[in-house]
Amino acid sequence: MTIFSRIIAGELPSYKVAEDDKFYAFLDINPIAWGHTLVVPKQEVDYFFDIDDRQIGEMMIFAKKVAEAIKSAIPCQKVGMAVLGLEVPHAHIHLVPLKTEGDMDFKHKVKDPSPEKMKEVCEKIAAAFNKG
């Protein structure tokens, strides 16, 4: 069971911004920008491109709704998307609010993201998601 499966199951805490019957979205605890969110399928699949075609389409639609909520809640020009998948063996999409293309640099992290600020950002995105 991956760390993401344990988060989805409620065994580990997360800053959940959105969920439906197939997907779960939560703030990255090592964000590269405020609002950096992970979208994961509830079904544990290691490699993003091993997800079947129908579900990958559904995942992109869910991610699009989450990205719209991020853009509504966090001042940014666009929301960038990346699929890396080397750090956790559970397929996931990174959604990152962008002001410049340089904001998508995974070597740069938000310095000391406090639980209070993470909760505030989470609540803003979740409210925007639930409004949409």
PDB file of all heavy atoms in Angstrom, residues 58-79:
ATOM      1  N   GLU A  58     -11.119  10.552 -17.360  1.00  0.00           N
ATOM      2  CA  GLU A  58     -11.870  11.001 -16.182  1.00  0.00           C
ATOM      3  C   GLU A  58     -10.958  11.723 -15.193  1.00  0.00           C
ATOM      4  O   GLU A  58     -11.346  12.716 -14.575  1.00  0.00           O
ATOM      5  CB  GLU A  58     -12.543   9.812 -15.495  1.00  0.00           C
ATOM      6  CG  GLU A  58     -13.656   9.194 -16.316  1.00  0.00           C
ATOM      7  CD  GLU A  58     -14.163   7.864 -15.752  1.00  0.00           C
ATOM      8  OE1 GLU A  58     -13.525   7.304 -14.826  1.00  0.00           O
ATOM      9  OE2 GLU A  58     -15.197   7.387 -16.241  1.00  0.00           O
ATOM     10  N   MET A  59      -9.730  11.227 -15.063  1.00  0.00           N
ATOM     11  CA  MET A  59      -8.762  11.855 -14.150  1.00  0.00           C
ATOM     12  C   MET A  59      -8.412  13.258 -14.631  1.00  0.00           C
ATOM     13  O   MET A  59      -8.297  14.190 -13.828  1.00  0.00           O
ATOM     14  CB  MET A  59      -7.512  10.995 -14.021  1.00  0.00           C
ATOM     15  CG  MET A  59      -6.537  11.477 -12.966  1.00  0.00           C
ATOM     16  SD  MET A  59      -5.201  10.258 -12.765  1.00  0.00           S
ATOM     17  CE  MET A  59      -4.207  11.065 -11.528  1.00  0.00           C
ATOM     18  N   MET A  60      -8.252  13.423 -15.930  1.00  0.00           N
ATOM     19  CA  MET A  60      -7.935  14.740 -16.477  1.00  0.00           C
ATOM     20  C   MET A  60      -9.103  15.711 -16.271  1.00  0.00           C
ATOM     21  O   MET A  60      -8.888  16.890 -15.974  1.00  0.00           O
ATOM     22  CB  MET A  60      -7.565  14.636 -17.959  1.00  0.00           C
ATOM     23  CG  MET A  60      -6.247  13.909 -18.208  1.00  0.00           C
ATOM     24  SD  MET A  60      -4.838  14.634 -17.332  1.00  0.00           S
ATOM     25  CE  MET A  60      -4.714  16.190 -18.150  1.00  0.00           C
ATOM     26  N   ILE A  61     -10.323  15.237 -16.415  1.00  0.00           N
ATOM     27  CA  ILE A  61     -11.496  16.092 -16.185  1.00  0.00           C
ATOM     28  C   ILE A  61     -11.550  16.516 -14.715  1.00  0.00           C
ATOM     29  O   ILE A  61     -11.801  17.685 -14.401  1.00  0.00           O
ATOM     30  CB  ILE A  61     -12.792  15.386 -16.627  1.00  0.00           C
ATOM     31  CG1 ILE A  61     -12.799  15.252 -18.153  1.00  0.00           C
ATOM     32  CG2 ILE A  61     -14.031  16.122 -16.127  1.00  0.00           C
ATOM     33  CD1 ILE A  61     -13.861  14.304 -18.695  1.00  0.00           C
ATOM     34  N   PHE A  62     -11.300  15.567 -13.803  1.00  0.00           N
ATOM     35  CA  PHE A  62     -11.261  15.889 -12.374  1.00  0.00           C
ATOM     36  C   PHE A  62     -10.139  16.890 -12.104  1.00  0.00           C
ATOM     37  O   PHE A  62     -10.337  17.892 -11.396  1.00  0.00           O
ATOM     38  CB  PHE A  62     -11.068  14.606 -11.551  1.00  0.00           C
ATOM     39  CG  PHE A  62     -11.044  14.818 -10.069  1.00  0.00           C
ATOM     40  CD1 PHE A  62     -12.214  14.954  -9.351  1.00  0.00           C
ATOM     41  CD2 PHE A  62      -9.840  14.868  -9.379  1.00  0.00           C
ATOM     42  CE1 PHE A  62     -12.198  15.156  -7.969  1.00  0.00           C
ATOM     43  CE2 PHE A  62      -9.805  15.065  -8.012  1.00  0.00           C
ATOM     44  CZ  PHE A  62     -10.986  15.213  -7.305  1.00  0.00           C
ATOM     45  N   ALA A  63      -8.950  16.652 -12.658  1.00  0.00           N
ATOM     46  CA  ALA A  63      -7.805  17.556 -12.469  1.00  0.00           C
ATOM     47  C   ALA A  63      -8.119  18.949 -13.011  1.00  0.00           C
ATOM     48  O   ALA A  63      -7.716  19.962 -12.413  1.00  0.00           O
ATOM     49  CB  ALA A  63      -6.555  16.985 -13.138  1.00  0.00           C
ATOM     50  N   LYS A  64      -8.847  19.017 -14.118  1.00  0.00           N
ATOM     51  CA  LYS A  64      -9.230  20.310 -14.689  1.00  0.00           C
ATOM     52  C   LYS A  64     -10.104  21.080 -13.709  1.00  0.00           C
ATOM     53  O   LYS A  64      -9.914  22.289 -13.500  1.00  0.00           O
ATOM     54  CB  LYS A  64      -9.971  20.108 -16.011  1.00  0.00           C
ATOM     55  CG  LYS A  64     -10.426  21.399 -16.665  1.00  0.00           C
ATOM     56  CD  LYS A  64     -11.178  21.140 -17.953  1.00  0.00           C
ATOM     57  CE  LYS A  64     -11.685  22.435 -18.546  1.00  0.00           C
ATOM     58  NZ  LYS A  64     -12.477  22.202 -19.769  1.00  0.00           N
ATOM     59  N   LYS A  65     -11.044  20.414 -13.071  1.00  0.00           N
ATOM     60  CA  LYS A  65     -11.913  21.069 -12.078  1.00  0.00           C
ATOM     61  C   LYS A  65     -11.097  21.547 -10.880  1.00  0.00           C
ATOM     62  O   LYS A  65     -11.330  22.641 -10.353  1.00  0.00           O
ATOM     63  CB  LYS A  65     -13.015  20.113 -11.630  1.00  0.00           C
ATOM     64  CG  LYS A  65     -14.029  19.826 -12.718  1.00  0.00           C
ATOM     65  CD  LYS A  65     -15.042  18.792 -12.254  1.00  0.00           C
ATOM     66  CE  LYS A  65     -15.974  18.419 -13.402  1.00  0.00           C
ATOM     67  NZ  LYS A  65     -16.863  17.309 -13.033  1.00  0.00           N
ATOM     68  N   VAL A  66     -10.140  20.737 -10.448  1.00  0.00           N
ATOM     69  CA  VAL A  66      -9.271  21.137  -9.341  1.00  0.00           C
ATOM     70  C   VAL A  66      -8.424  22.337  -9.767  1.00  0.00           C
ATOM     71  O   VAL A  66      -8.276  23.305  -9.008  1.00  0.00           O
ATOM     72  CB  VAL A  66      -8.384  19.966  -8.862  1.00  0.00           C
ATOM     73  CG1 VAL A  66      -7.378  20.435  -7.818  1.00  0.00           C
ATOM     74  CG2 VAL A  66      -9.245  18.825  -8.313  1.00  0.00           C
ATOM     75  N   ALA A  67      -7.882  22.313 -10.982  1.00  0.00           N
ATOM     76  CA  ALA A  67      -7.071  23.432 -11.481  1.00  0.00           C
ATOM     77  C   ALA A  67      -7.893  24.714 -11.540  1.00  0.00           C
ATOM     78  O   ALA A  67      -7.394  25.796 -11.197  1.00  0.00           O
ATOM     79  CB  ALA A  67      -6.495  23.090 -12.856  1.00  0.00           C
ATOM     80  N   GLU A  68      -9.148  24.617 -11.958  1.00  0.00           N
ATOM     81  CA  GLU A  68     -10.023  25.795 -11.992  1.00  0.00           C
ATOM     82  C   GLU A  68     -10.223  26.348 -10.581  1.00  0.00           C
ATOM     83  O   GLU A  68     -10.238  27.562 -10.377  1.00  0.00           O
ATOM     84  CB  GLU A  68     -11.362  25.445 -12.643  1.00  0.00           C
ATOM     85  CG  GLU A  68     -11.239  25.210 -14.132  1.00  0.00           C
ATOM     86  CD  GLU A  68     -12.471  24.561 -14.763  1.00  0.00           C
ATOM     87  OE1 GLU A  68     -13.385  24.105 -14.025  1.00  0.00           O
ATOM     88  OE2 GLU A  68     -12.527  24.501 -16.002  1.00  0.00           O
ATOM     89  N   ALA A  69     -10.355  25.457  -9.596  1.00  0.00           N
ATOM     90  CA  ALA A  69     -10.510  25.888  -8.207  1.00  0.00           C
ATOM     91  C   ALA A  69      -9.230  26.557  -7.705  1.00  0.00           C
ATOM     92  O   ALA A  69      -9.280  27.584  -7.019  1.00  0.00           O
ATOM     93  CB  ALA A  69     -10.882  24.694  -7.324  1.00  0.00           C
ATOM     94  N   ILE A  70      -8.083  25.981  -8.054  1.00  0.00           N
ATOM     95  CA  ILE A  70      -6.799  26.576  -7.657  1.00  0.00           C
ATOM     96  C   ILE A  70      -6.690  27.976  -8.238  1.00  0.00           C
ATOM     97  O   ILE A  70      -6.366  28.935  -7.534  1.00  0.00           O
ATOM     98  CB  ILE A  70      -5.610  25.697  -8.105  1.00  0.00           C
ATOM     99  CG1 ILE A  70      -5.594  24.372  -7.346  1.00  0.00           C
ATOM    100  CG2 ILE A  70      -4.283  26.444  -7.926  1.00  0.00           C
ATOM    101  CD1 ILE A  70      -4.633  23.340  -7.911  1.00  0.00           C
ATOM    102  N   LYS A  71      -6.976  28.117  -9.532  1.00  0.00           N
ATOM    103  CA  LYS A  71      -6.856  29.419 -10.204  1.00  0.00           C
ATOM    104  C   LYS A  71      -7.804  30.442  -9.584  1.00  0.00           C
ATOM    105  O   LYS A  71      -7.485  31.618  -9.463  1.00  0.00           O
ATOM    106  CB  LYS A  71      -7.118  29.287 -11.701  1.00  0.00           C
ATOM    107  CG  LYS A  71      -6.765  30.558 -12.466  1.00  0.00           C
ATOM    108  CD  LYS A  71      -6.670  30.296 -13.933  1.00  0.00           C
ATOM    109  CE  LYS A  71      -6.166  31.455 -14.743  1.00  0.00           C
ATOM    110  NZ  LYS A  71      -6.558  32.777 -14.372  1.00  0.00           N
ATOM    111  N   SER A  72      -8.965  29.996  -9.153  1.00  0.00           N
ATOM    112  CA  SER A  72      -9.935  30.875  -8.512  1.00  0.00           C
ATOM    113  C   SER A  72      -9.481  31.295  -7.114  1.00  0.00           C
ATOM    114  O   SER A  72      -9.745  32.414  -6.675  1.00  0.00           O
ATOM    115  CB  SER A  72     -11.284  30.155  -8.432  1.00  0.00           C
ATOM    116  OG  SER A  72     -12.202  30.877  -7.670  1.00  0.00           O
ATOM    117  N   ALA A  73      -8.778  30.412  -6.413  1.00  0.00           N
ATOM    118  CA  ALA A  73      -8.416  30.651  -5.011  1.00  0.00           C
ATOM    119  C   ALA A  73      -7.038  31.266  -4.809  1.00  0.00           C
ATOM    120  O   ALA A  73      -6.802  31.936  -3.801  1.00  0.00           O
ATOM    121  CB  ALA A  73      -8.491  29.330  -4.239  1.00  0.00           C
ATOM    122  N   ILE A  74      -6.125  31.033  -5.735  1.00  0.00           N
ATOM    123  CA  ILE A  74      -4.719  31.454  -5.576  1.00  0.00           C
ATOM    124  C   ILE A  74      -4.367  32.432  -6.702  1.00  0.00           C
ATOM    125  O   ILE A  74      -4.543  32.098  -7.876  1.00  0.00           O
ATOM    126  CB  ILE A  74      -3.772  30.228  -5.651  1.00  0.00           C
ATOM    127  CG1 ILE A  74      -4.160  29.149  -4.634  1.00  0.00           C
ATOM    128  CG2 ILE A  74      -2.320  30.660  -5.483  1.00  0.00           C
ATOM    129  CD1 ILE A  74      -4.047  29.546  -3.196  1.00  0.00           C
ATOM    130  N   PRO A  75      -3.861  33.614  -6.379  1.00  0.00           N
ATOM    131  CA  PRO A  75      -3.468  34.548  -7.442  1.00  0.00           C
ATOM    132  C   PRO A  75      -2.381  33.936  -8.345  1.00  0.00           C
ATOM    133  O   PRO A  75      -1.302  33.602  -7.867  1.00  0.00           O
ATOM    134  CB  PRO A  75      -2.922  35.765  -6.682  1.00  0.00           C
ATOM    135  CG  PRO A  75      -3.473  35.643  -5.299  1.00  0.00           C
ATOM    136  CD  PRO A  75      -3.640  34.169  -5.043  1.00  0.00           C
ATOM    137  N   CYS A  76      -2.730  33.740  -9.611  1.00  0.00           N
ATOM    138  CA  CYS A  76      -1.773  33.181 -10.572  1.00  0.00           C
ATOM    139  C   CYS A  76      -2.277  33.469 -11.976  1.00  0.00           C
ATOM    140  O   CYS A  76      -3.438  33.806 -12.170  1.00  0.00           O
ATOM    141  CB  CYS A  76      -1.596  31.665 -10.366  1.00  0.00           C
ATOM    142  SG  CYS A  76      -3.081  30.672 -10.611  1.00  0.00           S
ATOM    143  N   GLN A  77      -1.371  33.305 -12.965  1.00  0.00           N
ATOM    144  CA  GLN A  77      -1.773  33.485 -14.363  1.00  0.00           C
ATOM    145  C   GLN A  77      -2.418  32.211 -14.905  1.00  0.00           C
ATOM    146  O   GLN A  77      -3.411  32.258 -15.612  1.00  0.00           O
ATOM    147  CB  GLN A  77      -0.578  33.862 -15.225  1.00  0.00           C
ATOM    148  CG  GLN A  77      -0.111  35.271 -14.995  1.00  0.00           C
ATOM    149  CD  GLN A  77       0.943  35.680 -16.004  1.00  0.00           C
ATOM    150  OE1 GLN A  77       1.201  35.010 -16.997  1.00  0.00           O
ATOM    151  NE2 GLN A  77       1.577  36.808 -15.736  1.00  0.00           N
ATOM    152  N   LYS A  78      -1.798  31.080 -14.589  1.00  0.00           N
ATOM    153  CA  LYS A  78      -2.279  29.776 -15.052  1.00  0.00           C
ATOM    154  C   LYS A  78      -1.920  28.741 -14.005  1.00  0.00           C
ATOM    155  O   LYS A  78      -1.145  29.003 -13.086  1.00  0.00           O
ATOM    156  CB  LYS A  78      -1.643  29.385 -16.388  1.00  0.00           C
ATOM    157  CG  LYS A  78      -2.046  30.268 -17.545  1.00  0.00           C
ATOM    158  CD  LYS A  78      -1.459  29.780 -18.853  1.00  0.00           C
ATOM    159  CE  LYS A  78      -1.946  30.691 -19.994  1.00  0.00           C
ATOM    160  NZ  LYS A  78      -1.467  30.227 -21.279  1.00  0.00           N
ATOM    161  N   VAL A  79      -2.455  27.539 -14.185  1.00  0.00           N
ATOM    162  CA  VAL A  79      -2.074  26.413 -13.347  1.00  0.00           C
ATOM    163  C   VAL A  79      -1.329  25.429 -14.236  1.00  0.00           C
ATOM    164  O   VAL A  79      -1.865  24.970 -15.248  1.00  0.00           O
ATOM    165  CB  VAL A  79      -3.306  25.743 -12.698  1.00  0.00           C
ATOM    166  CG1 VAL A  79      -2.899  24.499 -11.919  1.00  0.00           C
ATOM    167  CG2 VAL A  79      -4.021  26.732 -11.775  1.00  0.00           C
TER     168      VAL A  79
END
